Amino acid sequence: MNAIISATELASESTGGTPPVLLDVRWQLSVAKAAGAAAFDGRAEYEAGHIPGAVFVDLDADLAGPAGAAGRHPLPDVDSFGAVMRQAGVSADRDVVVYDGGQGWAAARTWWMLRWTGHPSVRVLDGGLGAWEGPLETAVPSPEPGTFEPAPGAVGLLDADGAAALARSGILLDARAAERYRGDVEPIDRVGGHIPGAVSAPTSENVAQDGRFLPADALASRFKSLGASGGSGEVGVYCGSGVSGAHEVLALAVAGIDAALYVGSWSEWSSDESRPVATGPDPQ
């Protein structure tokens, strides 16, 4: 099963006898919110028009627990996550397709959560809603409840100690913008910089201008240049709070490389003053 699906493929599969469950997870990281500006309203965007049959999922409420010492988007309560997925119509024996507004981060977080909890067939709409050329609807569907029961641990998950160890023994990729990795700027977290030993790998470089992923061979070549390949040993990813990092894990999957996600990411790491911080362009 591929990790991504094109809009053309989705349109074709949606007319079949067993169309995939569609999840709309529109979300944006709002730095302005910290300054008191109104946050992006994904539900309002969904209600204004979505792919027919899609069910809205709220990243902050459904795909993450309360922000705190474990980071801005820690893992949610697994039972609550399972209940949300069942209410959306998710079952283990039915394909799931996830999309967002086009950035891909929120869709990738949903993809990763479902994969981590054992769903065998989840794909992200490549290019998001902007790639969809079919009709939109405003009616909110009421799907038949699904039967999905989460079984955590199906794919790799790192904690802070595991990320620190992997930065020394394997490849730990930092998916944030290069200036945040270097510590030149830090608009959100307590301090700028990166986990010592981590390699800068901005997730923005995994996609073309239209938001679609680069071809698998181009992604494989990029990750190989960063030290990560199918035979390079264990690979991990972190970002600011485990959202854009999920997008990089998805890009690695497209390239045929398995990777673990450090969900707490920099928002957790940097909140602990006892943990070391590296700055500048070099990993160490």
Side-chain angles (χ1 to χ4, degrees), residues 41-268:
D41 191 338
R43 186 177 295 276
E45 295 289 323
Y46 165 82
E47 292 175 349
H50 50 266
I51 297 176
V55 176
F56 180 72
V57 176
D58 187 315
L59 186 147
D60 290 317
D62 302 329
L63 304 178
R72 287 193 306 279
H73 292 103
L75 289 173
D77 176 79
V78 171
D79 290 338
S80 297
F81 170 73
V84 168
M85 292 297 103
R86 289 191 295 275
Q87 186 176 14
V90 174
S91 297
D93 60 354
R94 188 174 173 189
D95 294 348
V96 177
V97 172
V98 189
Y99 71 90
D100 57 24
Q103 187 179 43
W105 293 4
R109 171 71 176 227
T110 318
W111 168 85
W112 184 86
M113 281 293 307
L114 281 166
R115 295 290 294 125
W116 177 67
T117 53
H119 199 288
S121 179
V122 190
R123 289 168 292 172
V124 168
L125 175 58
D126 196 16
L129 186 62
W132 178 253
E133 297 181 352
L136 300 178
E137 69 176 15
T138 57
V140 176
S142 298
E144 188 74 21
T147 59
F148 179 65
E149 293 290 345
V155 296
L157 171 66
L158 296 172
D159 60 11
D161 289 340
L166 184 57
R168 298 188 298 268
S169 65
I171 300 296
L172 182 65
L173 301 177
D174 184 319
R176 297 172 301 156
E179 58 268 25
R180 290 185 69 190
Y181 170 89
R182 294 192 301 267
D184 298 344
V185 299
E186 183 43 65
I188 306 174
D189 293 313
R190 183 184 66 83
V191 64
H194 58 269
I195 296 174
V199 176
S200 180
T203 197
S204 59
E205 297 180 17
N206 296 324
V207 297
Q209 289 187 344
D210 61 4
R212 291 177 173 87
F213 281 105
L214 299 176
D217 57 351
L219 288 171
S221 178
R222 183 202 180 207
F223 289 126
K224 184 177 181 179
S225 72
L226 296 171
S229 63
S232 63
E234 191 176 358
V235 178
V237 180
Y238 76 97
C239 56
S241 63
V243 179
S244 66
H247 190 266
E248 185 124 294
V249 174
L250 176 58
L252 284 154
V254 173
I257 303 168
D258 292 330
L261 178 64
Y262 173 25
V263 172
S265 286
W266 189 248
S267 60
E268 178 186 41

Side-chain angles (χ1 to χ4, degrees), residues 266-280:
W266 189 248
S267 60
E268 178 186 41
W269 183 278
S270 63
S271 70
D272 183 346
E273 296 185 13
S274 71
R275 294 200 176 275
V277 172
T279 57

